[in-house]
PDB file of all heavy atoms in Angstrom:
ATOM      1  N   GLY A  98       3.831 -88.274 179.101  1.00  0.00           N
ATOM      2  CA  GLY A  98       3.076 -88.766 177.974  1.00  0.00           C
ATOM      3  C   GLY A  98       3.479 -90.153 177.461  1.00  0.00           C
ATOM      4  O   GLY A  98       2.811 -90.735 176.624  1.00  0.00           O
ATOM      5  N   TRP A  99       4.625 -90.658 177.945  1.00  0.00           N
ATOM      6  CA  TRP A  99       5.146 -91.924 177.474  1.00  0.00           C
ATOM      7  C   TRP A  99       4.984 -93.020 178.567  1.00  0.00           C
ATOM      8  O   TRP A  99       5.705 -94.037 178.527  1.00  0.00           O
ATOM      9  CB  TRP A  99       6.636 -91.746 177.164  1.00  0.00           C
ATOM     10  CG  TRP A  99       6.985 -90.797 176.023  1.00  0.00           C
ATOM     11  CD1 TRP A  99       7.437 -89.549 176.138  1.00  0.00           C
ATOM     12  CD2 TRP A  99       6.827 -91.117 174.652  1.00  0.00           C
ATOM     13  NE1 TRP A  99       7.625 -89.026 174.898  1.00  0.00           N
ATOM     14  CE2 TRP A  99       7.254 -89.931 173.939  1.00  0.00           C
ATOM     15  CE3 TRP A  99       6.355 -92.229 173.897  1.00  0.00           C
ATOM     16  CZ2 TRP A  99       7.224 -89.864 172.590  1.00  0.00           C
ATOM     17  CZ3 TRP A  99       6.348 -92.123 172.546  1.00  0.00           C
ATOM     18  CH2 TRP A  99       6.775 -90.946 171.860  1.00  0.00           C
ATOM     19  N   THR A 100       4.063 -92.893 179.472  1.00  0.00           N
ATOM     20  CA  THR A 100       3.942 -93.814 180.584  1.00  0.00           C
ATOM     21  C   THR A 100       3.807 -95.296 180.086  1.00  0.00           C
ATOM     22  O   THR A 100       4.473 -96.168 180.542  1.00  0.00           O
ATOM     23  CB  THR A 100       2.787 -93.475 181.521  1.00  0.00           C
ATOM     24  OG1 THR A 100       2.947 -92.120 181.963  1.00  0.00           O
ATOM     25  CG2 THR A 100       2.663 -94.370 182.703  1.00  0.00           C
ATOM     26  N   THR A 101       2.869 -95.477 179.154  1.00  0.00           N
ATOM     27  CA  THR A 101       2.608 -96.835 178.678  1.00  0.00           C
ATOM     28  C   THR A 101       3.836 -97.392 177.995  1.00  0.00           C
ATOM     29  O   THR A 101       4.176 -98.582 178.249  1.00  0.00           O
ATOM     30  CB  THR A 101       1.434 -96.839 177.691  1.00  0.00           C
ATOM     31  OG1 THR A 101       0.286 -96.296 178.333  1.00  0.00           O
ATOM     32  CG2 THR A 101       1.166 -98.216 177.189  1.00  0.00           C
ATOM     33  N   GLU A 102       4.485 -96.606 177.157  1.00  0.00           N
ATOM     34  CA  GLU A 102       5.682 -97.108 176.422  1.00  0.00           C
ATOM     35  C   GLU A 102       6.814 -97.332 177.362  1.00  0.00           C
ATOM     36  O   GLU A 102       7.558 -98.382 177.201  1.00  0.00           O
ATOM     37  CB  GLU A 102       6.061 -96.066 175.338  1.00  0.00           C
ATOM     38  CG  GLU A 102       5.098 -95.919 174.207  1.00  0.00           C
ATOM     39  CD  GLU A 102       3.881 -95.028 174.524  1.00  0.00           C
ATOM     40  OE1 GLU A 102       3.787 -94.541 175.684  1.00  0.00           O
ATOM     41  OE2 GLU A 102       3.071 -94.841 173.648  1.00  0.00           O
ATOM     42  N   LEU A 103       6.975 -96.495 178.353  1.00  0.00           N
ATOM     43  CA  LEU A 103       8.075 -96.740 179.341  1.00  0.00           C
ATOM     44  C   LEU A 103       7.833 -98.046 180.097  1.00  0.00           C
ATOM     45  O   LEU A 103       8.754 -98.810 180.350  1.00  0.00           O
ATOM     46  CB  LEU A 103       8.172 -95.554 180.289  1.00  0.00           C
ATOM     47  CG  LEU A 103       8.842 -94.305 179.706  1.00  0.00           C
ATOM     48  CD1 LEU A 103       8.640 -93.130 180.635  1.00  0.00           C
ATOM     49  CD2 LEU A 103      10.334 -94.496 179.442  1.00  0.00           C
ATOM     50  N   ARG A 104       6.636 -98.291 180.488  1.00  0.00           N
ATOM     51  CA  ARG A 104       6.282 -99.570 181.193  1.00  0.00           C
ATOM     52  C   ARG A 104       6.673-100.762 180.324  1.00  0.00           C
ATOM     53  O   ARG A 104       7.228-101.735 180.809  1.00  0.00           O
ATOM     54  CB  ARG A 104       4.837 -99.556 181.586  1.00  0.00           C
ATOM     55  CG  ARG A 104       4.456-100.675 182.593  1.00  0.00           C
ATOM     56  CD  ARG A 104       3.036-100.610 182.969  1.00  0.00           C
ATOM     57  NE  ARG A 104       2.608 -99.301 183.616  1.00  0.00           N
ATOM     58  CZ  ARG A 104       2.906 -98.997 184.811  1.00  0.00           C
ATOM     59  NH1 ARG A 104       3.526 -99.878 185.629  1.00  0.00           N
ATOM     60  NH2 ARG A 104       2.567 -97.846 185.325  1.00  0.00           N
ATOM     61  N   GLN A 105       6.357-100.672 178.998  1.00  0.00           N
ATOM     62  CA  GLN A 105       6.643-101.773 178.048  1.00  0.00           C
ATOM     63  C   GLN A 105       8.213-101.903 177.959  1.00  0.00           C
ATOM     64  O   GLN A 105       8.719-103.013 177.955  1.00  0.00           O
ATOM     65  CB  GLN A 105       6.024-101.537 176.721  1.00  0.00           C
ATOM     66  CG  GLN A 105       4.530-101.541 176.718  1.00  0.00           C
ATOM     67  CD  GLN A 105       3.966-100.997 175.436  1.00  0.00           C
ATOM     68  OE1 GLN A 105       4.649-100.533 174.552  1.00  0.00           O
ATOM     69  NE2 GLN A 105       2.624-101.075 175.296  1.00  0.00           N
ATOM     70  N   LEU A 106       8.883-100.710 177.837  1.00  0.00           N
ATOM     71  CA  LEU A 106      10.339-100.724 177.700  1.00  0.00           C
ATOM     72  C   LEU A 106      11.012-101.402 178.932  1.00  0.00           C
ATOM     73  O   LEU A 106      11.886-102.268 178.811  1.00  0.00           O
ATOM     74  CB  LEU A 106      10.870 -99.292 177.569  1.00  0.00           C
ATOM     75  CG  LEU A 106      12.363 -99.144 177.598  1.00  0.00           C
ATOM     76  CD1 LEU A 106      12.999 -99.832 176.374  1.00  0.00           C
ATOM     77  CD2 LEU A 106      12.673 -97.639 177.599  1.00  0.00           C
ATOM     78  N   PHE A 107      10.546-101.028 180.125  1.00  0.00           N
ATOM     79  CA  PHE A 107      11.165-101.596 181.352  1.00  0.00           C
ATOM     80  C   PHE A 107      10.926-103.045 181.491  1.00  0.00           C
ATOM     81  O   PHE A 107      11.786-103.841 181.901  1.00  0.00           O
ATOM     82  CB  PHE A 107      10.636-100.833 182.579  1.00  0.00           C
ATOM     83  CG  PHE A 107      11.017 -99.362 182.627  1.00  0.00           C
ATOM     84  CD1 PHE A 107      10.284 -98.445 183.368  1.00  0.00           C
ATOM     85  CD2 PHE A 107      12.001 -98.846 181.831  1.00  0.00           C
ATOM     86  CE1 PHE A 107      10.581 -97.113 183.397  1.00  0.00           C
ATOM     87  CE2 PHE A 107      12.386 -97.536 181.838  1.00  0.00           C
ATOM     88  CZ  PHE A 107      11.688 -96.624 182.612  1.00  0.00           C
ATOM     89  N   ALA A 108       9.734-103.530 181.036  1.00  0.00           N
ATOM     90  CA  ALA A 108       9.474-105.000 181.088  1.00  0.00           C
ATOM     91  C   ALA A 108      10.448-105.702 180.121  1.00  0.00           C
ATOM     92  O   ALA A 108      10.955-106.750 180.487  1.00  0.00           O
ATOM     93  CB  ALA A 108       8.012-105.286 180.690  1.00  0.00           C
ATOM     94  N   SER A 109      10.631-105.134 178.935  1.00  0.00           N
ATOM     95  CA  SER A 109      11.555-105.764 177.972  1.00  0.00           C
ATOM     96  C   SER A 109      12.952-105.713 178.427  1.00  0.00           C
ATOM     97  O   SER A 109      13.765-106.609 178.235  1.00  0.00           O
ATOM     98  CB  SER A 109      11.412-105.080 176.594  1.00  0.00           C
ATOM     99  OG  SER A 109      10.086-105.246 176.114  1.00  0.00           O
ATOM    100  N   TYR A 110      13.326-104.627 179.133  1.00  0.00           N
ATOM    101  CA  TYR A 110      14.720-104.465 179.639  1.00  0.00           C
ATOM    102  C   TYR A 110      14.995-105.534 180.729  1.00  0.00           C
ATOM    103  O   TYR A 110      16.070-106.182 180.712  1.00  0.00           O
ATOM    104  CB  TYR A 110      14.856-103.080 180.245  1.00  0.00           C
ATOM    105  CG  TYR A 110      16.081-102.797 181.038  1.00  0.00           C
ATOM    106  CD1 TYR A 110      17.348-102.798 180.418  1.00  0.00           C
ATOM    107  CD2 TYR A 110      16.063-102.534 182.417  1.00  0.00           C
ATOM    108  CE1 TYR A 110      18.491-102.518 181.084  1.00  0.00           C
ATOM    109  CE2 TYR A 110      17.236-102.250 183.129  1.00  0.00           C
ATOM    110  CZ  TYR A 110      18.415-102.261 182.496  1.00  0.00           C
ATOM    111  OH  TYR A 110      19.595-102.012 183.201  1.00  0.00           O
ATOM    112  N   VAL A 111      13.988-105.810 181.592  1.00  0.00           N
ATOM    113  CA  VAL A 111      14.171-106.855 182.604  1.00  0.00           C
ATOM    114  C   VAL A 111      14.324-108.227 181.916  1.00  0.00           C
ATOM    115  O   VAL A 111      15.163-109.007 182.329  1.00  0.00           O
ATOM    116  CB  VAL A 111      12.992-106.811 183.585  1.00  0.00           C
ATOM    117  CG1 VAL A 111      12.992-108.030 184.519  1.00  0.00           C
ATOM    118  CG2 VAL A 111      12.994-105.546 184.413  1.00  0.00           C
ATOM    119  N   GLU A 112      13.469-108.484 180.932  1.00  0.00           N
ATOM    120  CA  GLU A 112      13.549-109.747 180.235  1.00  0.00           C
ATOM    121  C   GLU A 112      14.954-109.922 179.523  1.00  0.00           C
ATOM    122  O   GLU A 112      15.529-110.997 179.550  1.00  0.00           O
ATOM    123  CB  GLU A 112      12.466-109.862 179.170  1.00  0.00           C
ATOM    124  CG  GLU A 112      11.068-109.983 179.796  1.00  0.00           C
ATOM    125  CD  GLU A 112       9.969-109.821 178.819  1.00  0.00           C
ATOM    126  OE1 GLU A 112      10.244-109.571 177.647  1.00  0.00           O
ATOM    127  OE2 GLU A 112       8.792-109.865 179.276  1.00  0.00           O
ATOM    128  N   ALA A 113      15.447-108.833 178.939  1.00  0.00           N
ATOM    129  CA  ALA A 113      16.764-108.852 178.266  1.00  0.00           C
ATOM    130  C   ALA A 113      17.894-109.208 179.266  1.00  0.00           C
ATOM    131  O   ALA A 113      18.775-110.020 178.983  1.00  0.00           O
ATOM    132  CB  ALA A 113      17.022-107.570 177.570  1.00  0.00           C
ATOM    133  N   LYS A 114      17.834-108.552 180.416  1.00  0.00           N
ATOM    134  CA  LYS A 114      18.862-108.848 181.446  1.00  0.00           C
ATOM    135  C   LYS A 114      18.825-110.350 181.877  1.00  0.00           C
ATOM    136  O   LYS A 114      19.851-110.961 182.007  1.00  0.00           O
ATOM    137  CB  LYS A 114      18.668-107.929 182.666  1.00  0.00           C
ATOM    138  CG  LYS A 114      18.999-106.514 182.485  1.00  0.00           C
ATOM    139  CD  LYS A 114      18.929-105.689 183.782  1.00  0.00           C
ATOM    140  CE  LYS A 114      17.518-105.613 184.302  1.00  0.00           C
ATOM    141  NZ  LYS A 114      17.396-104.824 185.571  1.00  0.00           N
ATOM    142  N   GLN A 115      17.580-110.803 182.042  1.00  0.00           N
ATOM    143  CA  GLN A 115      17.488-112.188 182.480  1.00  0.00           C
ATOM    144  C   GLN A 115      17.941-113.181 181.394  1.00  0.00           C
ATOM    145  O   GLN A 115      18.597-114.177 181.723  1.00  0.00           O
ATOM    146  CB  GLN A 115      16.033-112.495 182.885  1.00  0.00           C
ATOM    147  CG  GLN A 115      15.621-111.751 184.152  1.00  0.00           C
ATOM    148  CD  GLN A 115      14.205-111.891 184.511  1.00  0.00           C
ATOM    149  OE1 GLN A 115      13.433-112.579 183.791  1.00  0.00           O
ATOM    150  NE2 GLN A 115      13.759-111.323 185.646  1.00  0.00           N
ATOM    151  N   ARG A 116      17.695-112.875 180.128  1.00  0.00           N
ATOM    152  CA  ARG A 116      18.173-113.746 179.047  1.00  0.00           C
ATOM    153  C   ARG A 116      19.678-113.778 178.976  1.00  0.00           C
ATOM    154  O   ARG A 116      20.289-114.784 178.655  1.00  0.00           O
ATOM    155  CB  ARG A 116      17.604-113.284 177.661  1.00  0.00           C
ATOM    156  CG  ARG A 116      16.162-113.587 177.382  1.00  0.00           C
ATOM    157  CD  ARG A 116      15.837-113.414 175.937  1.00  0.00           C
ATOM    158  NE  ARG A 116      16.210-112.139 175.398  1.00  0.00           N
ATOM    159  CZ  ARG A 116      15.420-111.064 175.438  1.00  0.00           C
ATOM    160  NH1 ARG A 116      14.182-111.143 175.926  1.00  0.00           N
ATOM    161  NH2 ARG A 116      15.807-109.896 174.942  1.00  0.00           N
ATOM    162  N   GLN A 117      20.268-112.573 179.291  1.00  0.00           N
ATOM    163  CA  GLN A 117      21.725-112.477 179.100  1.00  0.00           C
ATOM    164  C   GLN A 117      22.473-112.777 180.444  1.00  0.00           C
ATOM    165  O   GLN A 117      23.698-112.709 180.521  1.00  0.00           O
ATOM    166  CB  GLN A 117      22.070-111.071 178.638  1.00  0.00           C
ATOM    167  CG  GLN A 117      21.488-110.697 177.277  1.00  0.00           C
ATOM    168  CD  GLN A 117      21.745-109.291 176.904  1.00  0.00           C
ATOM    169  OE1 GLN A 117      22.775-108.721 177.253  1.00  0.00           O
ATOM    170  NE2 GLN A 117      20.861-108.693 176.158  1.00  0.00           N
ATOM    171  N   ASN A 118      21.691-113.114 181.495  1.00  0.00           N
ATOM    172  CA  ASN A 118      22.265-113.467 182.797  1.00  0.00           C
ATOM    173  C   ASN A 118      23.166-112.319 183.323  1.00  0.00           C
ATOM    174  O   ASN A 118      24.247-112.503 183.790  1.00  0.00           O
ATOM    175  CB  ASN A 118      23.115-114.716 182.718  1.00  0.00           C
ATOM    176  CG  ASN A 118      23.413-115.292 184.064  1.00  0.00           C
ATOM    177  OD1 ASN A 118      22.631-115.142 184.962  1.00  0.00           O
ATOM    178  ND2 ASN A 118      24.605-115.930 184.245  1.00  0.00           N
ATOM    179  N   VAL A 119      22.636-111.113 183.242  1.00  0.00           N
ATOM    180  CA  VAL A 119      23.308-109.908 183.786  1.00  0.00           C
ATOM    181  C   VAL A 119      22.388-109.265 184.808  1.00  0.00           C
ATOM    182  O   VAL A 119      21.130-109.333 184.716  1.00  0.00           O
ATOM    183  CB  VAL A 119      23.693-108.889 182.711  1.00  0.00           C
ATOM    184  CG1 VAL A 119      24.713-109.526 181.725  1.00  0.00           C
ATOM    185  CG2 VAL A 119      22.521-108.304 181.958  1.00  0.00           C
ATOM    186  N   LEU A 120      23.011-108.599 185.804  1.00  0.00           N
ATOM    187  CA  LEU A 120      22.268-107.808 186.755  1.00  0.00           C
ATOM    188  C   LEU A 120      22.826-106.362 186.663  1.00  0.00           C
ATOM    189  O   LEU A 120      24.034-106.159 186.364  1.00  0.00           O
ATOM    190  CB  LEU A 120      22.441-108.317 188.219  1.00  0.00           C
ATOM    191  CG  LEU A 120      22.016-109.743 188.510  1.00  0.00           C
ATOM    192  CD1 LEU A 120      22.205-110.024 189.993  1.00  0.00           C
ATOM    193  CD2 LEU A 120      20.620-110.020 188.133  1.00  0.00           C
ATOM    194  N   ASP A 121      21.998-105.369 186.911  1.00  0.00           N
ATOM    195  CA  ASP A 121      22.505-103.993 187.010  1.00  0.00           C
ATOM    196  C   ASP A 121      22.619-103.670 188.480  1.00  0.00           C
ATOM    197  O   ASP A 121      22.263-104.489 189.394  1.00  0.00           O
ATOM    198  CB  ASP A 121      21.622-102.990 186.245  1.00  0.00           C
ATOM    199  CG  ASP A 121      20.196-102.954 186.682  1.00  0.00           C
ATOM    200  OD1 ASP A 121      19.939-103.315 187.856  1.00  0.00           O
ATOM    201  OD2 ASP A 121      19.321-102.538 185.934  1.00  0.00           O
ATOM    202  N   TYR A 122      23.076-102.431 188.783  1.00  0.00           N
ATOM    203  CA  TYR A 122      23.217-102.009 190.152  1.00  0.00           C
ATOM    204  C   TYR A 122      22.012-102.171 190.965  1.00  0.00           C
ATOM    205  O   TYR A 122      22.004-102.653 192.099  1.00  0.00           O
ATOM    206  CB  TYR A 122      23.694-100.550 190.208  1.00  0.00           C
ATOM    207  CG  TYR A 122      25.130-100.255 189.989  1.00  0.00           C
ATOM    208  CD1 TYR A 122      25.564 -99.111 189.358  1.00  0.00           C
ATOM    209  CD2 TYR A 122      26.150-101.190 190.370  1.00  0.00           C
ATOM    210  CE1 TYR A 122      26.924 -98.872 189.121  1.00  0.00           C
ATOM    211  CE2 TYR A 122      27.481-100.917 190.170  1.00  0.00           C
ATOM    212  CZ  TYR A 122      27.856 -99.745 189.533  1.00  0.00           C
ATOM    213  OH  TYR A 122      29.192 -99.472 189.313  1.00  0.00           O
ATOM    214  N   ASP A 123      20.897-101.750 190.376  1.00  0.00           N
ATOM    215  CA  ASP A 123      19.630-101.735 191.063  1.00  0.00           C
ATOM    216  C   ASP A 123      19.160-103.179 191.399  1.00  0.00           C
ATOM    217  O   ASP A 123      18.563-103.414 192.454  1.00  0.00           O
ATOM    218  CB  ASP A 123      18.551-101.038 190.258  1.00  0.00           C
ATOM    219  CG  ASP A 123      18.900 -99.622 189.953  1.00  0.00           C
ATOM    220  OD1 ASP A 123      19.529 -98.939 190.788  1.00  0.00           O
ATOM    221  OD2 ASP A 123      18.691 -99.173 188.770  1.00  0.00           O
ATOM    222  N   ASP A 124      19.487-104.124 190.521  1.00  0.00           N
ATOM    223  CA  ASP A 124      19.083-105.522 190.732  1.00  0.00           C
ATOM    224  C   ASP A 124      19.749-106.071 191.993  1.00  0.00           C
ATOM    225  O   ASP A 124      19.133-106.915 192.672  1.00  0.00           O
ATOM    226  CB  ASP A 124      19.533-106.368 189.583  1.00  0.00           C
ATOM    227  CG  ASP A 124      18.630-106.127 188.358  1.00  0.00           C
ATOM    228  OD1 ASP A 124      17.449-105.744 188.504  1.00  0.00           O
ATOM    229  OD2 ASP A 124      19.138-106.317 187.216  1.00  0.00           O
ATOM    230  N   LEU A 125      20.964-105.663 192.328  1.00  0.00           N
ATOM    231  CA  LEU A 125      21.659-106.146 193.445  1.00  0.00           C
ATOM    232  C   LEU A 125      20.860-105.897 194.774  1.00  0.00           C
ATOM    233  O   LEU A 125      20.849-106.718 195.708  1.00  0.00           O
ATOM    234  CB  LEU A 125      23.074-105.619 193.575  1.00  0.00           C
ATOM    235  CG  LEU A 125      23.953-105.923 192.390  1.00  0.00           C
ATOM    236  CD1 LEU A 125      25.319-105.205 192.510  1.00  0.00           C
ATOM    237  CD2 LEU A 125      24.189-107.431 192.256  1.00  0.00           C
ATOM    238  N   LEU A 126      20.191-104.747 194.830  1.00  0.00           N
ATOM    239  CA  LEU A 126      19.380-104.431 195.977  1.00  0.00           C
ATOM    240  C   LEU A 126      17.967-105.049 195.793  1.00  0.00           C
ATOM    241  O   LEU A 126      17.389-105.517 196.729  1.00  0.00           O
ATOM    242  CB  LEU A 126      19.266-102.913 196.157  1.00  0.00           C
ATOM    243  CG  LEU A 126      20.603-102.170 196.413  1.00  0.00           C
ATOM    244  CD1 LEU A 126      20.308-100.710 196.622  1.00  0.00           C
ATOM    245  CD2 LEU A 126      21.314-102.715 197.622  1.00  0.00           C
ATOM    246  N   LEU A 127      17.437-104.917 194.573  1.00  0.00           N
ATOM    247  CA  LEU A 127      16.085-105.372 194.336  1.00  0.00           C
ATOM    248  C   LEU A 127      15.954-106.899 194.531  1.00  0.00           C
ATOM    249  O   LEU A 127      15.012-107.401 195.213  1.00  0.00           O
ATOM    250  CB  LEU A 127      15.644-105.017 192.927  1.00  0.00           C
ATOM    251  CG  LEU A 127      14.200-105.357 192.506  1.00  0.00           C
ATOM    252  CD1 LEU A 127      13.245-104.653 193.433  1.00  0.00           C
ATOM    253  CD2 LEU A 127      13.945-104.957 191.068  1.00  0.00           C
ATOM    254  N   TYR A 128      16.909-107.713 194.012  1.00  0.00           N
ATOM    255  CA  TYR A 128      16.870-109.146 194.184  1.00  0.00           C
ATOM    256  C   TYR A 128      17.043-109.468 195.661  1.00  0.00           C
ATOM    257  O   TYR A 128      16.409-110.421 196.182  1.00  0.00           O
ATOM    258  CB  TYR A 128      17.954-109.792 193.341  1.00  0.00           C
ATOM    259  CG  TYR A 128      17.595-110.057 191.921  1.00  0.00           C
ATOM    260  CD1 TYR A 128      17.249-109.023 191.044  1.00  0.00           C
ATOM    261  CD2 TYR A 128      17.670-111.374 191.424  1.00  0.00           C
ATOM    262  CE1 TYR A 128      16.928-109.292 189.653  1.00  0.00           C
ATOM    263  CE2 TYR A 128      17.300-111.640 190.091  1.00  0.00           C
ATOM    264  CZ  TYR A 128      17.000-110.581 189.244  1.00  0.00           C
ATOM    265  OH  TYR A 128      16.687-110.817 187.915  1.00  0.00           O
ATOM    266  N   TRP A 129      17.914-108.768 196.310  1.00  0.00           N
ATOM    267  CA  TRP A 129      18.172-109.027 197.736  1.00  0.00           C
ATOM    268  C   TRP A 129      16.892-108.759 198.548  1.00  0.00           C
ATOM    269  O   TRP A 129      16.469-109.497 199.394  1.00  0.00           O
ATOM    270  CB  TRP A 129      19.300-108.117 198.243  1.00  0.00           C
ATOM    271  CG  TRP A 129      19.743-108.301 199.632  1.00  0.00           C
ATOM    272  CD1 TRP A 129      19.250-109.240 200.536  1.00  0.00           C
ATOM    273  CD2 TRP A 129      20.734-107.623 200.394  1.00  0.00           C
ATOM    274  NE1 TRP A 129      19.892-109.164 201.784  1.00  0.00           N
ATOM    275  CE2 TRP A 129      20.795-108.092 201.684  1.00  0.00           C
ATOM    276  CE3 TRP A 129      21.611-106.598 200.008  1.00  0.00           C
ATOM    277  CZ2 TRP A 129      21.658-107.644 202.668  1.00  0.00           C
ATOM    278  CZ3 TRP A 129      22.483-106.079 201.008  1.00  0.00           C
ATOM    279  CH2 TRP A 129      22.542-106.623 202.282  1.00  0.00           C
ATOM    280  N   SER A 130      16.230-107.620 198.208  1.00  0.00           N
ATOM    281  CA  SER A 130      15.009-107.292 198.899  1.00  0.00           C
ATOM    282  C   SER A 130      13.905-108.242 198.612  1.00  0.00           C
ATOM    283  O   SER A 130      13.160-108.725 199.519  1.00  0.00           O
ATOM    284  CB  SER A 130      14.519-105.866 198.433  1.00  0.00           C
ATOM    285  OG  SER A 130      13.302-105.545 198.955  1.00  0.00           O
ATOM    286  N   GLN A 131      13.763-108.681 197.382  1.00  0.00           N
ATOM    287  CA  GLN A 131      12.731-109.711 197.048  1.00  0.00           C
ATOM    288  C   GLN A 131      13.015-111.025 197.724  1.00  0.00           C
ATOM    289  O   GLN A 131      12.121-111.745 198.115  1.00  0.00           O
ATOM    290  CB  GLN A 131      12.692-109.882 195.479  1.00  0.00           C
ATOM    291  CG  GLN A 131      12.183-108.615 194.747  1.00  0.00           C
ATOM    292  CD  GLN A 131      10.750-108.363 195.043  1.00  0.00           C
ATOM    293  OE1 GLN A 131       9.908-109.239 195.094  1.00  0.00           O
ATOM    294  NE2 GLN A 131      10.406-107.063 195.217  1.00  0.00           N
ATOM    295  N   MET A 132      14.339-111.377 197.763  1.00  0.00           N
ATOM    296  CA  MET A 132      14.698-112.619 198.438  1.00  0.00           C
ATOM    297  C   MET A 132      14.369-112.580 199.880  1.00  0.00           C
ATOM    298  O   MET A 132      13.865-113.542 200.501  1.00  0.00           O
ATOM    299  CB  MET A 132      16.235-112.826 198.205  1.00  0.00           C
ATOM    300  CG  MET A 132      16.820-114.049 198.792  1.00  0.00           C
ATOM    301  SD  MET A 132      18.513-114.287 198.260  1.00  0.00           S
ATOM    302  CE  MET A 132      19.366-113.000 199.197  1.00  0.00           C
ATOM    303  N   ALA A 133      14.600-111.409 200.509  1.00  0.00           N
ATOM    304  CA  ALA A 133      14.337-111.265 201.952  1.00  0.00           C
ATOM    305  C   ALA A 133      12.884-111.147 202.225  1.00  0.00           C
ATOM    306  O   ALA A 133      12.450-111.314 203.408  1.00  0.00           O
ATOM    307  CB  ALA A 133      15.055-110.012 202.504  1.00  0.00           C
TER     308      ALA A 133
END
């Protein structure tokens, strides 16, 4: 029932990581995959 809100939350979470110049575990694979 929270699909819309979770999508908004995850978008804001990604923006917060980028503002703070931090990566989480998943980013290490996700960025590598996107790069490749």
Side-chain angles (χ1 to χ4, degrees):
W99 296 104
T100 303
T101 301
E102 291 81 359
L103 285 169
R104 193 179 300 281
Q105 295 169 355
L106 172 65
F107 296 159
S109 297
Y110 172 65
V111 170
E112 291 169 1
K114 287 187 294 181
Q115 292 176 357
R116 283 196 307 271
Q117 298 176 33
N118 195 32
V119 298
L120 303 183
D121 61 22
Y122 279 147
D123 303 321
D124 288 331
L125 298 174
L126 300 182
L127 184 59
Y128 276 60
W129 185 2
S130 175
Q131 293 293 319
M132 181 171 71

